[in-house]
Amino acid sequence: MKKKMLLLNTTVLLGLGGVLSTPAYASTIQDMESQKSQIQNQRQDVQSNIKAASDELTRLQAEQDQMKAQLERLTLAEEENNKKAQKTEADIKETSKQVAQLEKEIKLLQEKLEKRNDILKDRARSMQESGGNVEYLQVLLGSSSFGDFVDRALAVSTIVDADRGILTETKNMQDELKTKQADVKSKLASLEDMKAELDEMTVQLAAQKKQKDALAKELKDKEAKNEELKASLQAKDSSLANEQSTLEQNIKDQKAAEEAARKAAEQAAKEAAKKAAEQAQKAAAPSEKADSPSRKAAPKASSNDVAPTSAPAPKASNVVTVGNRWIGNSAYVFGGGRSQSDINHGLFDCSSFVHWAYSQVGVNLGSLGSVSTETLKHAGTQVSSSQMQPGDLVFFDTYKKDGHVGIYVGGGKFIGAQSSTGVAIANMSSGYWKQKFNGRVVRI
């Protein structure tokens, strides 16, 4: 009887094991978990690309903002230079009128001089007729009597005084004429040189604006393409997220179905075991009880996140490098940089930039409102160009003598506010600036 009971229990347990082991469920869930893992890997790649696209968009937008700010500076510089060009043109017209008026005066003076010359000739001719010789002494010695001598002496004295006055007045008029000619011609030449410089600046600023506009358009196109790429990646990530969500729901449903089947199988096995036990109890007096094992599982999960840190870069304070902040962020304005508004907008000319740079390291180069290349060349000690060192002021002959100034940075280069670039580092050991360098070096 015991053997029959053992056989019966073994049969029941085997039946329960067959019901609880579900290879179809396990295979389906494993496949879905594998698909889920693949989708998660794809999403990680897509999200990494989305982050890269976002970072690139941020960089492009920052570059776009910088470009817009520079375009605004160039527009301000163009407006200021146009105003100065218009004023200079008006001054040229006014000076040209003065030249025309002076030419009229010169013509009148020449006519007057010719008339004076005729008078002198007539007097000399008269003396020759009365005295027989142009020399005054001979006129006097040729008198026929003492009374004639006195008359001649008085006449000669009067003529000499008159001639001397005419000659002195003529010389003064000639000197005045030369002075007027020199002053007006110098002023006109200076104005014409300044106008040429301003015209060149206007051309350069227009070229810079055109270049910046082209770069801004290129940046805008890149930004649009990057936005499109980012949107495409986000759409792909959203699609993958939906697939992942569907798989997760299917896995959840499959596990729920498996759990329900397992519980149903357990219940059926229990009932079968109970019936078998009842039948065995009827067949034999002793009864045996079967215990079913219980399973315990403890989930484990942990994660750690570390946030990156960054340190600020040190700030330069040397006069040679302090102006680097304006490179690519400034524009040249003739006479600019003499107000806080100009400085805030990065609008300088060469002398105001030098004044600003030295003020940043605590050196005062005089009144900002009156600073010029003329004041700067007397601001320190003149040294030989062969002894030039970083921080020295270097001068160039552009539209006039010492028309441009910069700060020597070493290696044959200087930093300054150039009309073609705004604040920039330029090479003075070759090309244009080498030709314009006049050898003047001032050490502050």
mmCIF file with all atom_site columns, all heavy atoms in Angstrom, residues 7-33:
data_model
loop_
_atom_site.group_PDB
_atom_site.id
_atom_site.type_symbol
_atom_site.label_atom_id
_atom_site.label_alt_id
_atom_site.label_comp_id
_atom_site.label_asym_id
_atom_site.label_entity_id
_atom_site.label_seq_id
_atom_site.pdbx_PDB_ins_code
_atom_site.Cartn_x
_atom_site.Cartn_y
_atom_site.Cartn_z
_atom_site.occupancy
_atom_site.B_iso_or_equiv
_atom_site.pdbx_formal_charge
_atom_site.auth_seq_id
_atom_site.auth_comp_id
_atom_site.auth_asym_id
_atom_site.auth_atom_id
_atom_site.pdbx_PDB_model_num
ATOM 1   N N   . LEU A 1 7  ? 3.835  6.053  -5.429  1.00 0.00 ? 7  LEU A N   1
ATOM 2   C CA  . LEU A 1 7  ? 3.661  6.164  -6.876  1.00 0.00 ? 7  LEU A CA  1
ATOM 3   C C   . LEU A 1 7  ? 2.641  7.240  -7.212  1.00 0.00 ? 7  LEU A C   1
ATOM 4   O O   . LEU A 1 7  ? 2.813  8.039  -8.130  1.00 0.00 ? 7  LEU A O   1
ATOM 5   C CB  . LEU A 1 7  ? 3.223  4.797  -7.438  1.00 0.00 ? 7  LEU A CB  1
ATOM 6   C CG  . LEU A 1 7  ? 3.022  4.741  -8.955  1.00 0.00 ? 7  LEU A CG  1
ATOM 7   C CD1 . LEU A 1 7  ? 4.316  5.084  -9.687  1.00 0.00 ? 7  LEU A CD1 1
ATOM 8   C CD2 . LEU A 1 7  ? 2.519  3.352  -9.380  1.00 0.00 ? 7  LEU A CD2 1
ATOM 9   N N   . LEU A 1 8  ? 1.568  7.268  -6.417  1.00 0.00 ? 8  LEU A N   1
ATOM 10  C CA  . LEU A 1 8  ? 0.515  8.263  -6.657  1.00 0.00 ? 8  LEU A CA  1
ATOM 11  C C   . LEU A 1 8  ? 1.045  9.672  -6.425  1.00 0.00 ? 8  LEU A C   1
ATOM 12  O O   . LEU A 1 8  ? 0.823  10.589 -7.219  1.00 0.00 ? 8  LEU A O   1
ATOM 13  C CB  . LEU A 1 8  ? -0.684 7.982  -5.741  1.00 0.00 ? 8  LEU A CB  1
ATOM 14  C CG  . LEU A 1 8  ? -1.870 8.958  -5.860  1.00 0.00 ? 8  LEU A CG  1
ATOM 15  C CD1 . LEU A 1 8  ? -2.433 8.939  -7.277  1.00 0.00 ? 8  LEU A CD1 1
ATOM 16  C CD2 . LEU A 1 8  ? -2.945 8.595  -4.841  1.00 0.00 ? 8  LEU A CD2 1
ATOM 17  N N   . ASN A 1 9  ? 1.747  9.893  -5.332  1.00 0.00 ? 9  ASN A N   1
ATOM 18  C CA  . ASN A 1 9  ? 2.303  11.224 -5.028  1.00 0.00 ? 9  ASN A CA  1
ATOM 19  C C   . ASN A 1 9  ? 3.312  11.668 -6.076  1.00 0.00 ? 9  ASN A C   1
ATOM 20  O O   . ASN A 1 9  ? 3.360  12.828 -6.487  1.00 0.00 ? 9  ASN A O   1
ATOM 21  C CB  . ASN A 1 9  ? 2.976  11.221 -3.657  1.00 0.00 ? 9  ASN A CB  1
ATOM 22  C CG  . ASN A 1 9  ? 1.940  11.169 -2.528  1.00 0.00 ? 9  ASN A CG  1
ATOM 23  O OD1 . ASN A 1 9  ? 0.799  11.550 -2.729  1.00 0.00 ? 9  ASN A OD1 1
ATOM 24  N ND2 . ASN A 1 9  ? 2.341  10.679 -1.362  1.00 0.00 ? 9  ASN A ND2 1
ATOM 25  N N   . THR A 1 10 ? 4.151  10.748 -6.518  1.00 0.00 ? 10 THR A N   1
ATOM 26  C CA  . THR A 1 10 ? 5.136  11.056 -7.552  1.00 0.00 ? 10 THR A CA  1
ATOM 27  C C   . THR A 1 10 ? 4.449  11.492 -8.822  1.00 0.00 ? 10 THR A C   1
ATOM 28  O O   . THR A 1 10 ? 4.858  12.448 -9.499  1.00 0.00 ? 10 THR A O   1
ATOM 29  C CB  . THR A 1 10 ? 6.016  9.833  -7.822  1.00 0.00 ? 10 THR A CB  1
ATOM 30  O OG1 . THR A 1 10 ? 6.669  9.465  -6.619  1.00 0.00 ? 10 THR A OG1 1
ATOM 31  C CG2 . THR A 1 10 ? 7.085  10.153 -8.877  1.00 0.00 ? 10 THR A CG2 1
ATOM 32  N N   . THR A 1 11 ? 3.386  10.804 -9.168  1.00 0.00 ? 11 THR A N   1
ATOM 33  C CA  . THR A 1 11 ? 2.629  11.146 -10.386 1.00 0.00 ? 11 THR A CA  1
ATOM 34  C C   . THR A 1 11 ? 2.040  12.546 -10.287 1.00 0.00 ? 11 THR A C   1
ATOM 35  O O   . THR A 1 11 ? 2.069  13.334 -11.239 1.00 0.00 ? 11 THR A O   1
ATOM 36  C CB  . THR A 1 11 ? 1.501  10.115 -10.602 1.00 0.00 ? 11 THR A CB  1
ATOM 37  O OG1 . THR A 1 11 ? 2.093  8.822  -10.682 1.00 0.00 ? 11 THR A OG1 1
ATOM 38  C CG2 . THR A 1 11 ? 0.737  10.410 -11.876 1.00 0.00 ? 11 THR A CG2 1
ATOM 39  N N   . VAL A 1 12 ? 1.495  12.848 -9.100  1.00 0.00 ? 12 VAL A N   1
ATOM 40  C CA  . VAL A 1 12 ? 0.894  14.187 -8.901  1.00 0.00 ? 12 VAL A CA  1
ATOM 41  C C   . VAL A 1 12 ? 1.948  15.277 -9.023  1.00 0.00 ? 12 VAL A C   1
ATOM 42  O O   . VAL A 1 12 ? 1.747  16.310 -9.652  1.00 0.00 ? 12 VAL A O   1
ATOM 43  C CB  . VAL A 1 12 ? 0.184  14.246 -7.530  1.00 0.00 ? 12 VAL A CB  1
ATOM 44  C CG1 . VAL A 1 12 ? -0.241 15.686 -7.226  1.00 0.00 ? 12 VAL A CG1 1
ATOM 45  C CG2 . VAL A 1 12 ? -1.013 13.328 -7.524  1.00 0.00 ? 12 VAL A CG2 1
ATOM 46  N N   . LEU A 1 13 ? 3.111  15.068 -8.384  1.00 0.00 ? 13 LEU A N   1
ATOM 47  C CA  . LEU A 1 13 ? 4.180  16.061 -8.423  1.00 0.00 ? 13 LEU A CA  1
ATOM 48  C C   . LEU A 1 13 ? 4.729  16.263 -9.827  1.00 0.00 ? 13 LEU A C   1
ATOM 49  O O   . LEU A 1 13 ? 5.026  17.382 -10.257 1.00 0.00 ? 13 LEU A O   1
ATOM 50  C CB  . LEU A 1 13 ? 5.324  15.656 -7.479  1.00 0.00 ? 13 LEU A CB  1
ATOM 51  C CG  . LEU A 1 13 ? 4.992  15.762 -5.980  1.00 0.00 ? 13 LEU A CG  1
ATOM 52  C CD1 . LEU A 1 13 ? 6.116  15.173 -5.148  1.00 0.00 ? 13 LEU A CD1 1
ATOM 53  C CD2 . LEU A 1 13 ? 4.705  17.194 -5.580  1.00 0.00 ? 13 LEU A CD2 1
ATOM 54  N N   . LEU A 1 14 ? 4.873  15.192 -10.571 1.00 0.00 ? 14 LEU A N   1
ATOM 55  C CA  . LEU A 1 14 ? 5.336  15.305 -11.954 1.00 0.00 ? 14 LEU A CA  1
ATOM 56  C C   . LEU A 1 14 ? 4.354  16.096 -12.792 1.00 0.00 ? 14 LEU A C   1
ATOM 57  O O   . LEU A 1 14 ? 4.715  16.900 -13.650 1.00 0.00 ? 14 LEU A O   1
ATOM 58  C CB  . LEU A 1 14 ? 5.557  13.917 -12.564 1.00 0.00 ? 14 LEU A CB  1
ATOM 59  C CG  . LEU A 1 14 ? 6.801  13.161 -12.060 1.00 0.00 ? 14 LEU A CG  1
ATOM 60  C CD1 . LEU A 1 14 ? 6.794  11.721 -12.590 1.00 0.00 ? 14 LEU A CD1 1
ATOM 61  C CD2 . LEU A 1 14 ? 8.057  13.875 -12.492 1.00 0.00 ? 14 LEU A CD2 1
ATOM 62  N N   . GLY A 1 15 ? 3.069  15.831 -12.519 1.00 0.00 ? 15 GLY A N   1
ATOM 63  C CA  . GLY A 1 15 ? 2.045  16.602 -13.243 1.00 0.00 ? 15 GLY A CA  1
ATOM 64  C C   . GLY A 1 15 ? 2.111  18.075 -12.905 1.00 0.00 ? 15 GLY A C   1
ATOM 65  O O   . GLY A 1 15 ? 1.982  18.931 -13.761 1.00 0.00 ? 15 GLY A O   1
ATOM 66  N N   . LEU A 1 16 ? 2.344  18.393 -11.616 1.00 0.00 ? 16 LEU A N   1
ATOM 67  C CA  . LEU A 1 16 ? 2.455  19.796 -11.193 1.00 0.00 ? 16 LEU A CA  1
ATOM 68  C C   . LEU A 1 16 ? 3.671  20.467 -11.831 1.00 0.00 ? 16 LEU A C   1
ATOM 69  O O   . LEU A 1 16 ? 3.603  21.582 -12.310 1.00 0.00 ? 16 LEU A O   1
ATOM 70  C CB  . LEU A 1 16 ? 2.554  19.867 -9.670  1.00 0.00 ? 16 LEU A CB  1
ATOM 71  C CG  . LEU A 1 16 ? 2.702  21.276 -9.050  1.00 0.00 ? 16 LEU A CG  1
ATOM 72  C CD1 . LEU A 1 16 ? 1.511  22.139 -9.413  1.00 0.00 ? 16 LEU A CD1 1
ATOM 73  C CD2 . LEU A 1 16 ? 2.868  21.166 -7.546  1.00 0.00 ? 16 LEU A CD2 1
ATOM 74  N N   . GLY A 1 17 ? 4.817  19.730 -11.846 1.00 0.00 ? 17 GLY A N   1
ATOM 75  C CA  . GLY A 1 17 ? 6.033  20.267 -12.474 1.00 0.00 ? 17 GLY A CA  1
ATOM 76  C C   . GLY A 1 17 ? 5.824  20.520 -13.939 1.00 0.00 ? 17 GLY A C   1
ATOM 77  O O   . GLY A 1 17 ? 6.302  21.500 -14.495 1.00 0.00 ? 17 GLY A O   1
ATOM 78  N N   . GLY A 1 18 ? 5.106  19.672 -14.617 1.00 0.00 ? 18 GLY A N   1
ATOM 79  C CA  . GLY A 1 18 ? 4.846  19.873 -16.049 1.00 0.00 ? 18 GLY A CA  1
ATOM 80  C C   . GLY A 1 18 ? 4.012  21.105 -16.286 1.00 0.00 ? 18 GLY A C   1
ATOM 81  O O   . GLY A 1 18 ? 4.189  21.810 -17.257 1.00 0.00 ? 18 GLY A O   1
ATOM 82  N N   . VAL A 1 19 ? 3.067  21.336 -15.381 1.00 0.00 ? 19 VAL A N   1
ATOM 83  C CA  . VAL A 1 19 ? 2.214  22.521 -15.546 1.00 0.00 ? 19 VAL A CA  1
ATOM 84  C C   . VAL A 1 19 ? 2.993  23.803 -15.270 1.00 0.00 ? 19 VAL A C   1
ATOM 85  O O   . VAL A 1 19 ? 2.845  24.806 -15.948 1.00 0.00 ? 19 VAL A O   1
ATOM 86  C CB  . VAL A 1 19 ? 0.978  22.410 -14.621 1.00 0.00 ? 19 VAL A CB  1
ATOM 87  C CG1 . VAL A 1 19 ? 0.176  23.705 -14.649 1.00 0.00 ? 19 VAL A CG1 1
ATOM 88  C CG2 . VAL A 1 19 ? 0.117  21.247 -15.036 1.00 0.00 ? 19 VAL A CG2 1
ATOM 89  N N   . LEU A 1 20 ? 3.859  23.789 -14.202 1.00 0.00 ? 20 LEU A N   1
ATOM 90  C CA  . LEU A 1 20 ? 4.557  25.014 -13.787 1.00 0.00 ? 20 LEU A CA  1
ATOM 91  C C   . LEU A 1 20 ? 5.703  25.391 -14.718 1.00 0.00 ? 20 LEU A C   1
ATOM 92  O O   . LEU A 1 20 ? 6.056  26.551 -14.831 1.00 0.00 ? 20 LEU A O   1
ATOM 93  C CB  . LEU A 1 20 ? 5.091  24.845 -12.364 1.00 0.00 ? 20 LEU A CB  1
ATOM 94  C CG  . LEU A 1 20 ? 4.002  24.774 -11.280 1.00 0.00 ? 20 LEU A CG  1
ATOM 95  C CD1 . LEU A 1 20 ? 4.659  24.528 -9.935  1.00 0.00 ? 20 LEU A CD1 1
ATOM 96  C CD2 . LEU A 1 20 ? 3.168  26.030 -11.248 1.00 0.00 ? 20 LEU A CD2 1
ATOM 97  N N   . SER A 1 21 ? 6.368  24.420 -15.345 1.00 0.00 ? 21 SER A N   1
ATOM 98  C CA  . SER A 1 21 ? 7.452  24.772 -16.271 1.00 0.00 ? 21 SER A CA  1
ATOM 99  C C   . SER A 1 21 ? 6.841  25.120 -17.614 1.00 0.00 ? 21 SER A C   1
ATOM 100 O O   . SER A 1 21 ? 6.295  24.258 -18.285 1.00 0.00 ? 21 SER A O   1
ATOM 101 C CB  . SER A 1 21 ? 8.413  23.590 -16.415 1.00 0.00 ? 21 SER A CB  1
ATOM 102 O OG  . SER A 1 21 ? 7.763  22.469 -16.961 1.00 0.00 ? 21 SER A OG  1
ATOM 103 N N   . THR A 1 22 ? 6.910  26.475 -18.035 1.00 0.00 ? 22 THR A N   1
ATOM 104 C CA  . THR A 1 22 ? 6.240  26.973 -19.249 1.00 0.00 ? 22 THR A CA  1
ATOM 105 C C   . THR A 1 22 ? 7.273  27.472 -20.235 1.00 0.00 ? 22 THR A C   1
ATOM 106 O O   . THR A 1 22 ? 7.556  28.675 -20.288 1.00 0.00 ? 22 THR A O   1
ATOM 107 C CB  . THR A 1 22 ? 5.256  28.098 -18.893 1.00 0.00 ? 22 THR A CB  1
ATOM 108 O OG1 . THR A 1 22 ? 5.986  29.093 -18.162 1.00 0.00 ? 22 THR A OG1 1
ATOM 109 C CG2 . THR A 1 22 ? 4.115  27.597 -18.056 1.00 0.00 ? 22 THR A CG2 1
ATOM 110 N N   . PRO A 1 23 ? 7.885  26.607 -21.024 1.00 0.00 ? 23 PRO A N   1
ATOM 111 C CA  . PRO A 1 23 ? 8.922  27.036 -21.964 1.00 0.00 ? 23 PRO A CA  1
ATOM 112 C C   . PRO A 1 23 ? 8.421  28.018 -23.004 1.00 0.00 ? 23 PRO A C   1
ATOM 113 O O   . PRO A 1 23 ? 9.139  28.884 -23.449 1.00 0.00 ? 23 PRO A O   1
ATOM 114 C CB  . PRO A 1 23 ? 9.360  25.718 -22.610 1.00 0.00 ? 23 PRO A CB  1
ATOM 115 C CG  . PRO A 1 23 ? 8.227  24.772 -22.392 1.00 0.00 ? 23 PRO A CG  1
ATOM 116 C CD  . PRO A 1 23 ? 7.616  25.163 -21.091 1.00 0.00 ? 23 PRO A CD  1
ATOM 117 N N   . ALA A 1 24 ? 7.177  27.965 -23.424 1.00 0.00 ? 24 ALA A N   1
ATOM 118 C CA  . ALA A 1 24 ? 6.634  28.898 -24.417 1.00 0.00 ? 24 ALA A CA  1
ATOM 119 C C   . ALA A 1 24 ? 6.638  30.315 -23.861 1.00 0.00 ? 24 ALA A C   1
ATOM 120 O O   . ALA A 1 24 ? 7.049  31.269 -24.524 1.00 0.00 ? 24 ALA A O   1
ATOM 121 C CB  . ALA A 1 24 ? 5.219  28.483 -24.811 1.00 0.00 ? 24 ALA A CB  1
ATOM 122 N N   . TYR A 1 25 ? 6.187  30.476 -22.601 1.00 0.00 ? 25 TYR A N   1
ATOM 123 C CA  . TYR A 1 25 ? 6.189  31.786 -21.950 1.00 0.00 ? 25 TYR A CA  1
ATOM 124 C C   . TYR A 1 25 ? 7.606  32.323 -21.807 1.00 0.00 ? 25 TYR A C   1
ATOM 125 O O   . TYR A 1 25 ? 7.909  33.467 -22.122 1.00 0.00 ? 25 TYR A O   1
ATOM 126 C CB  . TYR A 1 25 ? 5.533  31.703 -20.569 1.00 0.00 ? 25 TYR A CB  1
ATOM 127 C CG  . TYR A 1 25 ? 4.028  31.615 -20.594 1.00 0.00 ? 25 TYR A CG  1
ATOM 128 C CD1 . TYR A 1 25 ? 3.347  30.782 -19.705 1.00 0.00 ? 25 TYR A CD1 1
ATOM 129 C CD2 . TYR A 1 25 ? 3.287  32.392 -21.489 1.00 0.00 ? 25 TYR A CD2 1
ATOM 130 C CE1 . TYR A 1 25 ? 1.968  30.698 -19.714 1.00 0.00 ? 25 TYR A CE1 1
ATOM 131 C CE2 . TYR A 1 25 ? 1.904  32.310 -21.506 1.00 0.00 ? 25 TYR A CE2 1
ATOM 132 C CZ  . TYR A 1 25 ? 1.245  31.455 -20.604 1.00 0.00 ? 25 TYR A CZ  1
ATOM 133 O OH  . TYR A 1 25 ? -0.114 31.378 -20.609 1.00 0.00 ? 25 TYR A OH  1
ATOM 134 N N   . ALA A 1 26 ? 8.506  31.469 -21.302 1.00 0.00 ? 26 ALA A N   1
ATOM 135 C CA  . ALA A 1 26 ? 9.887  31.893 -21.068 1.00 0.00 ? 26 ALA A CA  1
ATOM 136 C C   . ALA A 1 26 ? 10.539 32.342 -22.368 1.00 0.00 ? 26 ALA A C   1
ATOM 137 O O   . ALA A 1 26 ? 11.247 33.351 -22.415 1.00 0.00 ? 26 ALA A O   1
ATOM 138 C CB  . ALA A 1 26 ? 10.683 30.761 -20.438 1.00 0.00 ? 26 ALA A CB  1
ATOM 139 N N   . SER A 1 27 ? 10.321 31.609 -23.451 1.00 0.00 ? 27 SER A N   1
ATOM 140 C CA  . SER A 1 27 ? 10.911 31.957 -24.735 1.00 0.00 ? 27 SER A CA  1
ATOM 141 C C   . SER A 1 27 ? 10.389 33.296 -25.239 1.00 0.00 ? 27 SER A C   1
ATOM 142 O O   . SER A 1 27 ? 11.135 34.138 -25.715 1.00 0.00 ? 27 SER A O   1
ATOM 143 C CB  . SER A 1 27 ? 10.611 30.850 -25.753 1.00 0.00 ? 27 SER A CB  1
ATOM 144 O OG  . SER A 1 27 ? 11.088 31.221 -27.018 1.00 0.00 ? 27 SER A OG  1
ATOM 145 N N   . THR A 1 28 ? 9.087  33.520 -25.097 1.00 0.00 ? 28 THR A N   1
ATOM 146 C CA  . THR A 1 28 ? 8.482  34.783 -25.562 1.00 0.00 ? 28 THR A CA  1
ATOM 147 C C   . THR A 1 28 ? 9.012  35.970 -24.781 1.00 0.00 ? 28 THR A C   1
ATOM 148 O O   . THR A 1 28 ? 9.387  36.980 -25.352 1.00 0.00 ? 28 THR A O   1
ATOM 149 C CB  . THR A 1 28 ? 6.954  34.715 -25.436 1.00 0.00 ? 28 THR A CB  1
ATOM 150 O OG1 . THR A 1 28 ? 6.488  33.593 -26.169 1.00 0.00 ? 28 THR A OG1 1
ATOM 151 C CG2 . THR A 1 28 ? 6.309  35.980 -25.957 1.00 0.00 ? 28 THR A CG2 1
ATOM 152 N N   . ILE A 1 29 ? 9.080  35.855 -23.476 1.00 0.00 ? 29 ILE A N   1
ATOM 153 C CA  . ILE A 1 29 ? 9.558  36.951 -22.635 1.00 0.00 ? 29 ILE A CA  1
ATOM 154 C C   . ILE A 1 29 ? 11.033 37.240 -22.915 1.00 0.00 ? 29 ILE A C   1
ATOM 155 O O   . ILE A 1 29 ? 11.453 38.391 -22.998 1.00 0.00 ? 29 ILE A O   1
ATOM 156 C CB  . ILE A 1 29 ? 9.346  36.617 -21.147 1.00 0.00 ? 29 ILE A CB  1
ATOM 157 C CG1 . ILE A 1 29 ? 7.848  36.624 -20.833 1.00 0.00 ? 29 ILE A CG1 1
ATOM 158 C CG2 . ILE A 1 29 ? 10.071 37.614 -20.254 1.00 0.00 ? 29 ILE A CG2 1
ATOM 159 C CD1 . ILE A 1 29 ? 7.515  36.170 -19.440 1.00 0.00 ? 29 ILE A CD1 1
ATOM 160 N N   . GLN A 1 30 ? 11.818 36.189 -23.075 1.00 0.00 ? 30 GLN A N   1
ATOM 161 C CA  . GLN A 1 30 ? 13.239 36.362 -23.360 1.00 0.00 ? 30 GLN A CA  1
ATOM 162 C C   . GLN A 1 30 ? 13.438 37.111 -24.675 1.00 0.00 ? 30 GLN A C   1
ATOM 163 O O   . GLN A 1 30 ? 14.288 37.996 -24.781 1.00 0.00 ? 30 GLN A O   1
ATOM 164 C CB  . GLN A 1 30 ? 13.916 34.998 -23.417 1.00 0.00 ? 30 GLN A CB  1
ATOM 165 C CG  . GLN A 1 30 ? 15.433 35.077 -23.563 1.00 0.00 ? 30 GLN A CG  1
ATOM 166 C CD  . GLN A 1 30 ? 16.077 33.704 -23.555 1.00 0.00 ? 30 GLN A CD  1
ATOM 167 O OE1 . GLN A 1 30 ? 15.396 32.682 -23.466 1.00 0.00 ? 30 GLN A OE1 1
ATOM 168 N NE2 . GLN A 1 30 ? 17.392 33.675 -23.647 1.00 0.00 ? 30 GLN A NE2 1
ATOM 169 N N   . ASP A 1 31 ? 12.635 36.726 -25.685 1.00 0.00 ? 31 ASP A N   1
ATOM 170 C CA  . ASP A 1 31 ? 12.725 37.419 -26.972 1.00 0.00 ? 31 ASP A CA  1
ATOM 171 C C   . ASP A 1 31 ? 12.377 38.904 -26.835 1.00 0.00 ? 31 ASP A C   1
ATOM 172 O O   . ASP A 1 31 ? 13.053 39.787 -27.388 1.00 0.00 ? 31 ASP A O   1
ATOM 173 C CB  . ASP A 1 31 ? 11.796 36.765 -28.002 1.00 0.00 ? 31 ASP A CB  1
ATOM 174 C CG  . ASP A 1 31 ? 12.296 35.394 -28.430 1.00 0.00 ? 31 ASP A CG  1
ATOM 175 O OD1 . ASP A 1 31 ? 13.486 35.120 -28.186 1.00 0.00 ? 31 ASP A OD1 1
ATOM 176 O OD2 . ASP A 1 31 ? 11.496 34.626 -28.987 1.00 0.00 ? 31 ASP A OD2 1
ATOM 177 N N   . MET A 1 32 ? 11.303 39.152 -26.100 1.00 0.00 ? 32 MET A N   1
ATOM 178 C CA  . MET A 1 32 ? 10.865 40.544 -25.920 1.00 0.00 ? 32 MET A CA  1
ATOM 179 C C   . MET A 1 32 ? 11.877 41.338 -25.110 1.00 0.00 ? 32 MET A C   1
ATOM 180 O O   . MET A 1 32 ? 12.129 42.518 -25.390 1.00 0.00 ? 32 MET A O   1
ATOM 181 C CB  . MET A 1 32 ? 9.484  40.580 -25.256 1.00 0.00 ? 32 MET A CB  1
ATOM 182 C CG  . MET A 1 32 ? 8.353  40.173 -26.203 1.00 0.00 ? 32 MET A CG  1
ATOM 183 S SD  . MET A 1 32 ? 6.712  40.508 -25.559 1.00 0.00 ? 32 MET A SD  1
ATOM 184 C CE  . MET A 1 32 ? 6.616  39.341 -24.209 1.00 0.00 ? 32 MET A CE  1
ATOM 185 N N   . GLU A 1 33 ? 12.486 40.718 -24.090 1.00 0.00 ? 33 GLU A N   1
ATOM 186 C CA  . GLU A 1 33 ? 13.515 41.405 -23.308 1.00 0.00 ? 33 GLU A CA  1
ATOM 187 C C   . GLU A 1 33 ? 14.719 41.737 -24.185 1.00 0.00 ? 33 GLU A C   1
ATOM 188 O O   . GLU A 1 33 ? 15.333 42.813 -24.063 1.00 0.00 ? 33 GLU A O   1
ATOM 189 C CB  . GLU A 1 33 ? 13.961 40.525 -22.123 1.00 0.00 ? 33 GLU A CB  1
ATOM 190 C CG  . GLU A 1 33 ? 12.940 40.386 -21.003 1.00 0.00 ? 33 GLU A CG  1
ATOM 191 C CD  . GLU A 1 33 ? 12.830 41.650 -20.161 1.00 0.00 ? 33 GLU A CD  1
ATOM 192 O OE1 . GLU A 1 33 ? 13.516 42.648 -20.464 1.00 0.00 ? 33 GLU A OE1 1
ATOM 193 O OE2 . GLU A 1 33 ? 12.056 41.643 -19.188 1.00 0.00 ? 33 GLU A OE2 1
#
